[in-house]
Amino acid sequence: MFSGIIEHLGTVTQARRGDRALHVAIATGIGDLSMGESIAVNGVCLTVTAFDAAGNASFFISIETLERTSLGRLAEGGRVNLERAVTPATRLSGHIVQGHVDGTGRLLSVEMAGEARRVVFAIPMTLRRYLVEKGSITLDGISLTLNEIGATGTAGAGPDEFPVALMIIPHTWTHTSLGTLAPGDAVNVEVDVIAKYVETLCQYRS
């Protein structure tokens, strides 16, 4: 389990395609990794399969993950958001994040709003029912607050998408991969798991 608070901004040092899989090496900057531990890479829970004392780690990305996330676009030199799994003593500064991606969205626009940035993403319409204004959403592993549902003042969302707007503070912009995105780039989306549990409970109530 994760909290959506990015701890490190890693750099992809190798992205090698295998038989229906992707082998990725990342310079994580984490010096005390453990074999088999879970790391959220752009919001996707991955397993450390090899590492060294300098924090260089290897990950195996299966075809299932490649089909459901945006990790297939990883390339050498790319920057990725990293978070280690929480512990019982960890402050839950973000919200409950599983690292299980529900779909991919697209960056539509970025505009300055004072020192902050108003950023608009197109989200799959199938996820609309899980989102509420001022609720939580995870984009590329970052715990963010939804400021507008069905955001206005932007174009580009397709018929199976809807736009949402978020206000990004300078710290988040510079300490995550958000600042490296260009309009049209894909992001991993994970909705609040509590909303999904509530939906299921309501469906099967007597």
Side-chain angles (χ1 to χ4, degrees):
M1 188 178 80
F2 307 92
S3 68
I5 303 301
I6 303 306
E7 299 176 292
H8 299 271
L9 195 55
T11 301
V12 177
T13 57
Q14 183 184 66
R16 177 175 57 85
R17 288 199 171 272
D19 182 17
R20 293 166 57 82
L22 183 65
H23 300 266
V24 175
I26 298 174
T28 69
I30 304 171
D32 60 341
L33 291 168
S34 299
M35 185 68 72
E37 79 166 279
S38 296
I39 302 284
V41 178
N42 278 358
V44 184
C45 181
L46 298 179
T47 299
V48 175
T49 58
F51 69 96
D52 62 23
N56 299 299
S58 298
F59 303 90
F60 175 87
I61 304 174
S62 70
I63 187 63
E64 165 75 7
T65 302
L66 291 174
E67 290 177 348
R68 290 179 174 267
T69 73
S70 67
L71 292 188
R73 66 182 177 86
L74 292 182
E76 187 174 331
R79 302 286 270 166
V80 289
N81 299 316
L82 303 174
E83 182 189 357
R84 303 179 83 173
V86 299
T87 71
T90 303
R91 289 187 177 89
L92 192 61
S93 296
H95 70 285
I96 296 173
V97 176
Q98 294 182 299
H100 302 161
V101 172
D102 295 301
T104 57
R106 297 183 299 115
L107 175 64
L108 293 182
S109 66
V110 179
E111 61 182 21
M112 297 303 299
E115 294 184 51
R117 289 170 174 81
R118 180 178 181 269
V119 183
V120 181
F121 289 91
I123 304 296
M125 189 64 74
T126 53
L127 303 179
R128 169 65 183 89
R129 63 187 184 274
Y130 301 116
L131 305 183
V132 296
E133 188 172 322
K134 302 304 181 184
S136 296
I137 191 171
T138 307
L139 299 178
D140 269 357
I142 311 164
S143 175
L144 298 168
T145 300
L146 289 159
N147 294 112
E148 301 173 46
I149 307 292
T152 58
T154 186
D160 297 323
E161 301 172 314
F162 71 99
V164 299
L166 309 100
M167 201 63 69
I168 307 299
I169 65 172
H171 176 87
T172 303
W173 187 257
T174 57
H175 286 75
T176 71
S177 64
L178 285 178
T180 69
L181 297 176
D185 281 351
V187 292
N188 295 312
V189 180
E190 181 182 337
V191 299
D192 193 340
V193 66
I194 295 175
K196 293 192 286 186
Y197 279 125
V198 170
E199 178 185 55
T200 298
L201 287 170
C202 289
Q203 287 176 341
Y204 291 97
R205 67 180 180 179
S206 57

